[in-house]
Amino acid sequence: MPVFPVETPVIANGMPVRLVANAVSAGFPSPAGDDLEDEIDPISWVVRHPSSTFWWRVEGDCLWDAGIRDGDIIAVDRAGKRRVGRAVLAVVEGAVTAKMLRKRDGRYFLAPANSKESFPDIELTEDSEIWGVIAGVVRRYDLE
């Protein structure tokens, strides 16, 4: 797994937040987790184009397989490249929706990413707009 250098520090409650140099194992614990690397600002790591990035709260689980859950906050970059296979935010018939951009038989669709539930594909029309590309997701867990 690659480790990317981080240049911008994040300040939380007046104190810089440190980034551990080693990736954390989600399987077996690693004893090398004591080594600290650079400071990281998680928001600037997600936001590549600050003037064109907007934050939206997700409702529903149609992007579950893409790692986006109900209640998450997504960073949507209007300057991001709209490519097939990317998660996008779109306006269809006046409604805003987040889905995966797909192409089939020369036509573009918004498709869910949830193999456990049945959500319909939405065909894009001339009136549809791909508003932006999902650049990242923020999730907060209950600590109580």
Side-chain angles (χ1 to χ4, degrees):
M1 170 179 269
V3 176
F4 301 97
V6 178
E7 298 170 5
T8 308
V10 63
I11 306 298
N13 297 327
M15 301 294 294
V17 176
R18 303 286 295 172
L19 175 68
V20 176
N22 299 51
V24 64
S25 170
F28 297 102
S30 170
D34 298 341
D35 190 20
L36 294 179
E37 191 183 282
D38 297 322
E39 295 170 354
I40 181 173
D41 178 350
I43 299 303
S44 69
W45 189 66
V46 169
V47 176
R48 278 76 134 201
H49 307 106
S51 64
S52 64
T53 300
F54 299 84
W55 296 89
W56 296 73
R57 184 171 301 277
V58 174
E59 291 181 359
D61 286 322
C62 75
L63 290 174
W64 183 271
D65 295 347
I68 300 172
R69 312 287 193 259
D70 183 56
D72 286 352
I73 298 173
I74 53 174
V76 179
D77 190 337
R78 293 204 54 146
K81 302 279 189 232
R82 288 132 173 93
R83 293 191 179 139
V84 172
R86 289 202 171 155
V88 298
L89 189 92
V91 180
V92 179
E93 296 180 10
V96 179
T97 187
K99 301 270 191 298
M100 304 301 294
L101 182 60
R102 302 280 187 225
K103 186 176 182 181
R104 186 172 57 244
D105 299 326
R107 298 187 334 237
Y108 290 93
F109 292 84
L110 298 174
N114 187 324
S115 56
K116 294 183 180 184
E117 295 188 43
S118 179
F119 294 100
D121 288 352
I122 300 169
E123 185 173 1
L124 293 176
T125 66
E126 292 178 5
D127 297 327
S128 304
E129 177 189 2
I130 303 293
W131 198 82
V133 177
I134 298 176
V137 60
V138 176
R139 179 175 304 133
R140 185 173 176 163
Y141 294 105
D142 186 18
L143 299 178
E144 306 292 316

